[in-house]
Amino acid sequence: MKRIVKYIIFALIAILFAGTFVFLYKKSKPEVEKFNELEATLQDIQKTTVVTGKITPRNEVAIKPQINGIIAELCKEAGEQVKENEIIAKLKVIPDMNSLSSAQSRVRLAEINLKQAKTNYEREKALYDKNLVSAEEYDQILNSYNQAKEERAAAQDALEVIRDGVSSSNATGSSTLVRSTITGLILDIPVKVGNSVIQANTMNDGTTVATVANMQDLIFDGKIDETEVGLLSEGMPLTIRIGAIQDFSLEATLEYVSPKATEVNGANQFQIKAAVSVQGDKMIRSGYSANAEIVLERAEKVLSIPESALEFQGDSTFVYIKTGEDKYNRTPVTTGLSDGVNIQILSGLKEGDKVRGTKIIKEE
């Protein structure tokens, strides 16, 4: 019985050693590497770039008052449409005391001159009626009288404008009414009733009562890197996507590429502008952030493979063409246009060739 037990133990030890040997042999034997296979096919390749920027009106007009004063009434609100010459606000005039004093002095002087011119005219007319003076002398006195009347009227108008903001001779053109100079959408009214406003002059830009723009004439304003600006040309199409509006895009046409770079975070960038084609009933707001996709280069129906199949060595590029089961031949190729995923092959491959791709990793 003891002898049988010994035989069994020896047998188990032998089996254990044999199993360990077989396991170690299999582990030491190199595994055949497996790769994904890719095929050279004909397809369209285009190189694109994405430019960040914003949507703005082509012309944004600041509406300013013609006189100094206080906002007495606002007739419009931001977001409303306004037509050219339509009233946006009404002002209460606060005359400048120096200007008012000068205007009053001018009126008094004009009245004195008019009184003297009238006296001269009446005296000259009496002499002319008696044929005691020539017609030429009479005409000169009459012209002086008429000029004095015009000067008196002009001085009175100037006084009324400074004092009241409107003259009696031109009530429809009151400078107390702030009117829009264009037809468009009111983007902003930065003042409130009771705010003081001043007209533009050589010392300051004046107070902006409203900002108006034509929102049917929009542009995309962005910046592109210097490495890509050389591929741009006026008239190129762009696709604009606005982040605030999902699943919506606009077509645009490149109009302007800046001749001068500006430095942004250490990189040279060039400003571009593109005319946006506004379509549909979507509300496009001024200042929307947007991305513009530009097709820089395009090649149609060209032989291409995924870039992952390429191997680079120095200035040369290679692929592994399949020649048999798990057998590949390293072959140099010449590449062309790339879209970041697929790349054009100019020479070294033909349509239908199988090339080695990425290695297949077994899950343990």
Side-chain angles (χ1 to χ4, degrees):
M1 186 67 180
K2 291 182 178 180
R3 183 178 295 176
I4 294 173
V5 172
K6 288 181 179 180
Y7 289 151
I8 293 174
I9 292 173
F10 286 142
L12 290 175
I13 293 174
I15 292 171
L16 179 61
F17 273 105
T20 302
F21 177 77
V22 172
F23 174 77
L24 292 175
Y25 174 76
K26 288 184 177 180
K27 290 291 290 183
S28 63
K29 186 179 180 180
E31 295 184 2
V32 178
E33 293 182 327
K34 297 288 184 180
F35 295 89
N36 293 310
E37 290 186 358
L38 306 172
E39 183 177 351
T41 59
L42 296 177
Q43 57 182 305
D44 297 340
I45 294 181
Q46 61 183 26
K47 180 180 179 181
T48 62
T49 187
V50 176
V51 179
T52 59
K54 61 182 180 180
I55 302 295
T56 61
R58 183 183 300 275
N59 296 310
E60 191 171 303
V61 179
I63 308 300
K64 300 178 184 290
Q66 296 178 330
I67 58 172
N68 301 334
I70 294 176
I71 300 293
E73 180 183 353
L74 291 173
C75 305
K76 293 288 183 178
E77 295 182 356
E80 292 184 355
Q81 291 287 336
V82 65
K83 295 182 179 180
E84 184 178 355
N85 290 325
E86 192 171 355
I87 298 173
I88 295 177
K90 297 180 180 179
L91 302 182
K92 177 182 178 182
V93 177
I94 300 179
D96 177 76
M97 297 311 296
N98 289 333
S99 299
L100 180 62
S101 177
S102 296
Q104 290 172 336
S105 176
R106 179 185 172 188
V107 170
R108 290 192 295 268
L109 181 60
E111 288 176 344
I112 293 172
N113 292 335
L114 176 59
K115 184 177 180 181
Q116 182 60 50
K118 183 180 180 180
T119 300
N120 294 340
Y121 166 72
E122 291 175 347
R123 183 184 302 115
E124 192 73 12
K125 187 176 185 306
L127 295 174
Y128 178 74
D129 291 339
K130 297 177 180 179
N131 295 321
L132 297 177
V133 295
S134 66
E136 183 179 356
E137 291 180 1
Y138 171 75
D139 290 340
Q140 290 177 352
I141 297 299
L142 177 60
N143 288 337
S144 298
Y145 177 50
N146 290 333
Q147 289 175 2
K149 288 194 291 184
E150 288 295 327
E151 174 59 26
R152 170 63 177 81
Q156 183 62 36
D157 282 349
L159 174 61
E160 291 175 354
V161 169
I162 292 173
R163 185 187 60 206
D164 307 322
V166 59
S167 67
S168 56
S169 62
N170 188 22
T172 57
S174 173
S175 55
T176 60
L177 304 178
V178 181
R179 302 176 183 270
S180 176
T181 57
I182 64 170
T183 297
L185 181 72
I186 300 177
L187 302 180
D188 185 30
I189 297 182
V191 296
K192 298 179 180 180
V193 173
N195 285 164
S196 297
V197 295
I198 58 175
Q199 68 182 110
N201 53 47
T202 56
M203 302 298 295
N204 58 69
D205 294 332
T207 305
T208 298
V209 175
T211 304
V212 181
N214 179 7
M215 296 303 291
Q216 297 301 310
D217 187 10
L218 303 177
I219 62 171
F220 169 82
D221 189 349
K223 293 183 180 295
I224 191 170
D225 191 80
E226 63 179 339
T227 58
E228 298 173 323
V229 71
L231 299 174
L232 298 183
S233 60
E234 294 182 4
M236 293 180 68
L238 290 77
T239 300
I240 309 295
R241 290 182 173 84
I242 300 173
I245 306 177
Q246 298 296 323
D247 302 323
F248 179 72
S249 62
L250 295 167
E251 299 302 317
T253 304
L254 186 63
E255 285 188 340
Y256 170 79
V257 180
S258 174
K260 181 180 179 180
T262 56
E263 187 172 326
V264 180
N265 297 325
N268 287 335
Q269 295 190 333
F270 292 80
Q271 183 185 31
I272 65 170
K273 294 182 181 181
V276 178
S277 176
V278 181
Q279 298 177 349
D281 56 355
K282 292 287 186 180
M283 176 65 177
I284 309 299
R285 303 180 187 276
S286 176
Y288 264 155
S289 296
N291 292 326
E293 183 179 291
I294 310 174
V295 177
L296 300 176
E297 295 180 88
R298 180 179 177 85
E300 298 182 352
K301 300 299 180 183
V302 294
L303 186 66
S304 61
I305 60 173
E307 283 197 40
S308 58
L310 298 180
E311 180 183 275
F312 299 95
Q313 183 176 350
D315 295 332
S316 302
T317 307
F318 300 88
V319 297
Y320 288 84
I321 302 178
K322 185 176 182 180
T323 58
E325 185 66 27
D326 297 328
K327 293 182 179 180
Y328 301 92
N329 181 34
R330 189 169 184 256
T331 304
V333 294
T334 304
T335 59
L337 186 64
S338 170
D339 62 5
V341 176
N342 297 309
I343 189 167
Q344 180 184 7
I345 301 299
L346 300 176
S347 64
L349 285 178
K350 61 181 183 296
E351 185 180 2
D353 281 346
K354 303 287 187 180
V355 297
R356 191 179 78 179
T358 56
K359 183 179 178 181
I360 299 175
I361 300 176
K362 293 183 178 180
E363 296 183 359
E364 297 183 358

mmCIF file of all heavy atoms in Angstrom, residues 253-270:
data_model
loop_
_atom_site.group_PDB
_atom_site.id
_atom_site.type_symbol
_atom_site.label_atom_id
_atom_site.label_comp_id
_atom_site.label_asym_id
_atom_site.label_seq_id
_atom_site.Cartn_x
_atom_site.Cartn_y
_atom_site.Cartn_z
ATOM 1 N N THR A 253 -19.145 85.000 -46.943
ATOM 2 C CA THR A 253 -18.140 85.168 -47.991
ATOM 3 C C THR A 253 -17.028 86.061 -47.480
ATOM 4 O O THR A 253 -17.285 87.161 -46.979
ATOM 5 C CB THR A 253 -18.761 85.795 -49.260
ATOM 6 O OG1 THR A 253 -19.854 84.979 -49.700
ATOM 7 C CG2 THR A 253 -17.730 85.893 -50.366
ATOM 8 N N LEU A 254 -15.795 85.581 -47.590
ATOM 9 C CA LEU A 254 -14.652 86.338 -47.085
ATOM 10 C C LEU A 254 -14.486 87.633 -47.869
ATOM 11 O O LEU A 254 -14.419 87.632 -49.095
ATOM 12 C CB LEU A 254 -13.385 85.490 -47.193
ATOM 13 C CG LEU A 254 -12.116 86.076 -46.564
ATOM 14 C CD1 LEU A 254 -12.299 86.248 -45.069
ATOM 15 C CD2 LEU A 254 -10.918 85.186 -46.848
ATOM 16 N N GLU A 255 -14.438 88.754 -47.142
ATOM 17 C CA GLU A 255 -14.325 90.078 -47.759
ATOM 18 C C GLU A 255 -12.979 90.758 -47.489
ATOM 19 O O GLU A 255 -12.512 91.545 -48.309
ATOM 20 C CB GLU A 255 -15.428 90.998 -47.226
ATOM 21 C CG GLU A 255 -16.797 90.723 -47.770
ATOM 22 C CD GLU A 255 -17.785 91.795 -47.344
ATOM 23 O OE1 GLU A 255 -17.521 92.510 -46.347
ATOM 24 O OE2 GLU A 255 -18.822 91.922 -47.989
ATOM 25 N N TYR A 256 -12.385 90.456 -46.347
ATOM 26 C CA TYR A 256 -11.209 91.252 -45.947
ATOM 27 C C TYR A 256 -10.235 90.387 -45.162
ATOM 28 O O TYR A 256 -10.631 89.607 -44.287
ATOM 29 C CB TYR A 256 -11.672 92.424 -45.083
ATOM 30 C CG TYR A 256 -10.565 93.195 -44.402
ATOM 31 C CD1 TYR A 256 -9.812 94.139 -45.089
ATOM 32 C CD2 TYR A 256 -10.268 92.967 -43.059
ATOM 33 C CE1 TYR A 256 -8.792 94.841 -44.450
ATOM 34 C CE2 TYR A 256 -9.258 93.665 -42.418
ATOM 35 C CZ TYR A 256 -8.523 94.605 -43.121
ATOM 36 O OH TYR A 256 -7.519 95.300 -42.496
ATOM 37 N N VAL A 257 -8.969 90.508 -45.508
ATOM 38 C CA VAL A 257 -7.882 89.890 -44.748
ATOM 39 C C VAL A 257 -6.881 90.997 -44.419
ATOM 40 O O VAL A 257 -6.366 91.663 -45.326
ATOM 41 C CB VAL A 257 -7.183 88.765 -45.539
ATOM 42 C CG1 VAL A 257 -6.066 88.153 -44.693
ATOM 43 C CG2 VAL A 257 -8.187 87.695 -45.953
ATOM 44 N N SER A 258 -6.635 91.216 -43.149
ATOM 45 C CA SER A 258 -5.777 92.324 -42.730
ATOM 46 C C SER A 258 -4.364 92.165 -43.275
ATOM 47 O O SER A 258 -3.796 91.069 -43.252
ATOM 48 C CB SER A 258 -5.732 92.399 -41.200
ATOM 49 O OG SER A 258 -4.799 93.371 -40.779
ATOM 50 N N PRO A 259 -3.771 93.236 -43.775
ATOM 51 C CA PRO A 259 -2.377 93.172 -44.245
ATOM 52 C C PRO A 259 -1.365 93.212 -43.103
ATOM 53 O O PRO A 259 -0.176 93.013 -43.334
ATOM 54 C CB PRO A 259 -2.263 94.422 -45.121
ATOM 55 C CG PRO A 259 -3.228 95.384 -44.517
ATOM 56 C CD PRO A 259 -4.380 94.554 -44.013
ATOM 57 N N LYS A 260 -1.832 93.445 -41.880
ATOM 58 C CA LYS A 260 -0.927 93.581 -40.748
ATOM 59 C C LYS A 260 -1.355 92.649 -39.626
ATOM 60 O O LYS A 260 -2.539 92.550 -39.300
ATOM 61 C CB LYS A 260 -0.911 95.028 -40.250
ATOM 62 C CG LYS A 260 0.037 95.271 -39.085
ATOM 63 C CD LYS A 260 -0.003 96.725 -38.650
ATOM 64 C CE LYS A 260 0.937 96.965 -37.466
ATOM 65 N NZ LYS A 260 0.911 98.373 -37.016
ATOM 66 N N ALA A 261 -0.370 91.980 -39.020
ATOM 67 C CA ALA A 261 -0.649 91.045 -37.934
ATOM 68 C C ALA A 261 -0.730 91.772 -36.603
ATOM 69 O O ALA A 261 -0.145 92.844 -36.414
ATOM 70 C CB ALA A 261 0.424 89.965 -37.872
ATOM 71 N N THR A 262 -1.453 91.168 -35.675
ATOM 72 C CA THR A 262 -1.467 91.618 -34.292
ATOM 73 C C THR A 262 -1.052 90.439 -33.418
ATOM 74 O O THR A 262 -1.381 89.294 -33.716
ATOM 75 C CB THR A 262 -2.858 92.112 -33.864
ATOM 76 O OG1 THR A 262 -3.822 91.065 -34.091
ATOM 77 C CG2 THR A 262 -3.263 93.339 -34.653
ATOM 78 N N GLU A 263 -0.337 90.718 -32.357
ATOM 79 C CA GLU A 263 0.150 89.646 -31.487
ATOM 80 C C GLU A 263 -0.902 89.305 -30.450
ATOM 81 O O GLU A 263 -1.362 90.160 -29.696
ATOM 82 C CB GLU A 263 1.453 90.068 -30.805
ATOM 83 C CG GLU A 263 2.117 88.948 -30.022
ATOM 84 C CD GLU A 263 3.490 89.323 -29.507
ATOM 85 O OE1 GLU A 263 4.187 90.088 -30.211
ATOM 86 O OE2 GLU A 263 3.843 88.872 -28.411
ATOM 87 N N VAL A 264 -1.286 88.024 -30.407
ATOM 88 C CA VAL A 264 -2.277 87.535 -29.451
ATOM 89 C C VAL A 264 -1.658 86.360 -28.712
ATOM 90 O O VAL A 264 -1.408 85.301 -29.303
ATOM 91 C CB VAL A 264 -3.579 87.100 -30.151
ATOM 92 C CG1 VAL A 264 -4.588 86.594 -29.119
ATOM 93 C CG2 VAL A 264 -4.168 88.250 -30.954
ATOM 94 N N ASN A 265 -1.422 86.540 -27.412
ATOM 95 C CA ASN A 265 -0.814 85.492 -26.582
ATOM 96 C C ASN A 265 0.486 84.966 -27.195
ATOM 97 O O ASN A 265 0.739 83.748 -27.220
ATOM 98 C CB ASN A 265 -1.795 84.339 -26.369
ATOM 99 C CG ASN A 265 -3.038 84.767 -25.621
ATOM 100 O OD1 ASN A 265 -2.962 85.621 -24.736
ATOM 101 N ND2 ASN A 265 -4.173 84.180 -25.961
ATOM 102 N N GLY A 266 1.296 85.872 -27.731
ATOM 103 C CA GLY A 266 2.581 85.488 -28.272
ATOM 104 C C GLY A 266 2.565 84.992 -29.699
ATOM 105 O O GLY A 266 3.624 84.694 -30.264
ATOM 106 N N ALA A 267 1.377 84.877 -30.321
ATOM 107 C CA ALA A 267 1.273 84.389 -31.702
ATOM 108 C C ALA A 267 0.775 85.506 -32.602
ATOM 109 O O ALA A 267 -0.075 86.315 -32.204
ATOM 110 C CB ALA A 267 0.326 83.200 -31.777
ATOM 111 N N ASN A 268 1.304 85.548 -33.828
ATOM 112 C CA ASN A 268 0.862 86.542 -34.795
ATOM 113 C C ASN A 268 -0.429 86.081 -35.461
ATOM 114 O O ASN A 268 -0.484 84.982 -36.007
ATOM 115 C CB ASN A 268 1.931 86.771 -35.861
ATOM 116 C CG ASN A 268 3.111 87.553 -35.321
ATOM 117 O OD1 ASN A 268 2.973 88.312 -34.359
ATOM 118 N ND2 ASN A 268 4.266 87.382 -35.918
ATOM 119 N N GLN A 269 -1.435 86.926 -35.413
ATOM 120 C CA GLN A 269 -2.728 86.603 -36.014
ATOM 121 C C GLN A 269 -3.197 87.769 -36.872
ATOM 122 O O GLN A 269 -2.859 88.920 -36.622
ATOM 123 C CB GLN A 269 -3.766 86.271 -34.942
ATOM 124 C CG GLN A 269 -3.445 85.008 -34.158
ATOM 125 C CD GLN A 269 -4.591 84.567 -33.272
ATOM 126 O OE1 GLN A 269 -5.402 85.367 -32.837
ATOM 127 N NE2 GLN A 269 -4.661 83.277 -33.008
ATOM 128 N N PHE A 270 -3.997 87.430 -37.893
ATOM 129 C CA PHE A 270 -4.507 88.422 -38.829
ATOM 130 C C PHE A 270 -6.029 88.490 -38.743
ATOM 131 O O PHE A 270 -6.703 87.456 -38.686
ATOM 132 C CB PHE A 270 -4.094 88.068 -40.261
ATOM 133 C CG PHE A 270 -2.622 88.197 -40.523
ATOM 134 C CD1 PHE A 270 -1.740 87.205 -40.139
ATOM 135 C CD2 PHE A 270 -2.109 89.327 -41.142
ATOM 136 C CE1 PHE A 270 -0.375 87.319 -40.373
ATOM 137 C CE2 PHE A 270 -0.752 89.453 -41.378
ATOM 138 C CZ PHE A 270 0.119 88.445 -40.989
#
